[in-house]
Amino acid sequence: AQSVTQLGSHVSVSEGALVLLRCNYSSSVPPYLFWYVQYPNQGLQLLLKYTTGATLVKGINGFEAEFKKSETSFHLTKPSAHMSDAAEYFCAVSDRGNTDKLIFGTGTRLQVFP
Amino acid sequence: NAGVTQTPKFQVLKTGQSMTLQCAQDMNHEYMSWYRQDPGMGLRLIHYSVGAGITDQGEVPNGYNVSRSTTEDFPLRLLSAAPSQTSVYFCASSSTGGSYEAFFGQGTRLTVV
C-alpha cells in the first residue's frame, strides 16, 4: 500500500530564508507525486506535481521539488521565504493515472517570521 | 468559473441526525472524491467515483454513503451522525485527460454534538 511521510508537523523560518519541507513516500511502483498548499479556511491548491520526465519540477509561487527515486523523496523547497507563504503544505501520492485516489501526508504548517 | 462547489460551509448536527453534504463541479470531470481532514491526520479518502453510476470506498467509509447519478454531482450522506464525524470535509474532482490535478472545494466544517 502507498503511504506518505512528512517530517515535521511545524516548520518556522525567517522571511528571506530557505524553505525546506520534507516528504518521503512508499510505493511499489513509481507513483505520481504532488504538493498542495492550504491557506487558512480554504481548500487545497496544487503547488506542483511530478508525473514523468524531468525530476526537478517547478511550481507556483517560486516553489520547486525534486523527485529522487533512490531516496523515495519529494522534498519541497523555496530559496527565499515570504510572509505570504505561511500556510499548511501537504504532500500526496497517487497511482499512476488514478488521481481519483490521493494518499496524503499529515501536513506541515509553515510559519514565516519577519 | 465556479470549479468545485460545496454546500453548506458550516453545519452543526446533533448525534443521530442525518444530513447530506452537497458537491457539484462544472468542469466535466470524470473523477470525484470525498475526503475528511482532521488535525494531525492530513486528508483521508472517504469515498470516490470514477464516473456516473460508479462509486467505491476509500480509507474511512463507515458511516457515510455516496451516489453519483450525474457527472456534476457527488453528494455525501451521513446516515446517523456521531461526534467522531466532527471534521472538515472536502470534495475534489479531477480529469482522466492527463492534467493529473485534483481541484478541491472550499470545504464543509461539520460539528456533531
Side-chain angles (χ1 to χ4, degrees):
Chain A
Q2 293 176 321
S3 65
V4 176
T5 301
Q6 290 184 243
L7 289 176
S9 58
H10 290 83
V11 171
S12 298
V13 300
S14 299
E15 194 172 21
L18 171 71
V19 175
L20 171 60
L21 305 183
R22 298 179 185 274
C23 173
N24 289 87
Y25 69 90
S26 172
S27 178
S28 57
V29 296
Y32 288 175
L33 293 157
F34 307 84
W35 276 99
Y36 281 84
V37 61
Q38 184 182 34
Y39 298 103
N41 301 313
Q42 294 191 23
L44 278 72
Q45 178 184 5
L46 182 68
L47 267 181
L48 50 78
K49 63 189 176 191
Y50 170 77
T51 55
T52 58
T55 56
L56 180 64
V57 293
K58 296 185 185 300
I60 61 172
N61 301 337
F63 284 93
E64 62 183 37
E66 186 171 10
F67 169 60
K68 292 188 176 181
K69 184 178 177 182
S70 61
E71 298 177 8
T72 60
S73 69
F74 191 56
H75 301 329
L76 181 71
T77 60
K78 182 174 180 178
S80 177
H82 192 273
M83 297 294 290
S84 61
D85 295 327
E88 187 151 24
Y89 292 80
F90 293 94
C91 183
V93 64
S94 75
D95 287 336
R96 299 184 79 78
N98 292 334
T99 51
D100 52 317
K101 294 183 290 183
L102 289 168
I103 306 298
F104 284 89
T106 52
T108 298
R109 184 167 298 279
L110 176 66
Q111 288 184 302
V112 182
F113 294 100
Chain B
N1 214 16
V4 179
T5 302
Q6 290 184 236
T7 56
K9 288 187 168 52
F10 301 94
Q11 183 71 49
V12 178
L13 287 180
K14 294 182 178 179
T15 297
Q17 286 184 318
S18 62
M19 79 159 293
T20 299
L21 280 62
Q22 302 290 346
C23 175
Q25 54 95 4
D26 61 359
M27 297 172 281
N28 202 32
H29 285 168
E30 298 86 350
Y31 294 160
M32 296 187 75
S33 310
W34 276 103
Y35 296 85
R36 60 177 288 173
Q37 182 180 21
D38 301 293
M41 303 188 75
L43 283 79
R44 293 178 292 168
L45 182 65
I46 305 172
H47 285 284
Y48 64 100
S49 169
V50 299
I54 306 170
T55 64
D56 207 344
Q57 296 181 349
E59 181 185 355
V60 287
N62 292 341
Y64 307 95
N65 271 358
V66 292
S67 59
R68 183 101 178 264
S69 56
T70 67
T71 299
E72 294 78 20
D73 300 299
F74 191 44
L76 178 72
R77 297 183 189 85
L78 279 70
L79 307 174
S80 177
S84 61
Q85 293 178 304
T86 294
S87 187
V88 181
Y89 292 85
F90 287 98
C91 179
S93 74
S94 59
S95 169
T96 59
S99 73
Y100 310 116
E101 176 178 357
F103 293 83
F104 285 80
Q106 295 291 295
T108 295
R109 186 174 295 274
L110 175 69
T111 302
V112 182
V113 298

